[in-house]
Each structure stands twice: as structure tokens, then as C-alpha cells.
Amino acid sequence: MKGVVISVLVVVAMVQLMVRPGEATISCEEVVNLVRPCAPYIMTGIGSPTVACCNGLDQLRKSATTTADKQQACQCAKDAAAGFPMINEQAAASLPTICKIHIDFPISKNINCQ
């Protein structure tokens, strides 16, 4: 039993050492997957964002809790948006308001994520 407790403590310590303070724990793949359902609305600005889009934004808000995570999520969203030159900037900027979700950065190709 003592060996199990020590093993658990070692694993917990290793996990904590793997993520240094100030280092983002959210990945760009995660951000893109969460925001992907918003693409049809962001591209056209027609209609309303889907429930999946709003749920993805809410999950992104919940996942990006530290400053480093928020900066990483912002940069990932910005980089993804840059790959789509036909983004309707007004539609993208309106997503948090329409979805009734507060996020600390607008979804835009031109945002400063620092």
C-alpha cells in the first residue's frame, strides 16, 4: 500500500513539473476543434451560429483559464483565421455576444494577443 501512495505522489509531482507556471496548457488543435463549428457563420455572417459553435466557444472559455492559456488560445484563433481570407470580421467579432459568452479576446485576424 505504501508503494502505491508513493507512486501516486511521484506521478502527481511529475505532472506538475511538466507544466511550468506561465506555460500554456491548451493546444492549437484543441482551440481549432472548439471553434471549427463556427466556420460557416464566420465565413458568411448569414443566420446565426449553431449550438455547437456556441458550446465550443464556451468550452474554450472554460479551458483557457490562465493568462498563458488565453494568449495561446488567442494566437491559435488568430492564426486559424488568417488561413481564411474571406472571414466576415463583423460576424466573427459578434460571436461572443450572440452566444452570450464572455471571452477575453475578440475572434479576429488583427488582434494583438499579448
Side-chain angles (χ1 to χ4, degrees):
M1 180 68 178
K2 186 177 180 181
V4 172
V5 172
I6 291 173
S7 295
V8 170
L9 290 174
V10 168
V11 169
V12 169
M14 287 173 56
V15 168
Q16 288 183 350
L17 290 175
M18 288 175 11
V19 179
R20 287 179 248 138
E23 191 173 293
T25 59
I26 192 166
S27 72
C28 282
E29 181 180 1
E30 218 177 330
V31 172
V32 169
N33 286 336
L34 291 170
V35 178
R36 182 173 286 132
C38 301
Y41 178 73
I42 291 173
M43 298 296 280
T44 64
I46 298 171
S48 298
T50 64
V51 171
C53 169
C54 292
N55 287 343
L57 287 179
D58 191 42
Q59 186 59 44
L60 177 58
R61 179 189 61 80
K62 290 175 183 173
S63 297
T65 56
T66 67
T67 300
D69 283 342
K70 290 174 185 177
Q71 288 174 333
Q72 175 75 9
C74 175
Q75 189 61 53
C76 292
K78 181 178 177 179
D79 292 346
F84 296 94
M86 298 180 299
I87 284 182
N88 180 322
E89 287 282 336
Q90 228 174 358
S94 71
L95 276 174
T97 301
I98 293 171
C99 291
K100 296 181 175 105
I101 297 168
H102 173 74
I103 56 176
D104 292 332
F105 57 88
I107 299 172
S108 170
K109 293 187 283 188
N110 303 313
I111 183 73
N112 178 355
C113 295
Q114 299 307 315

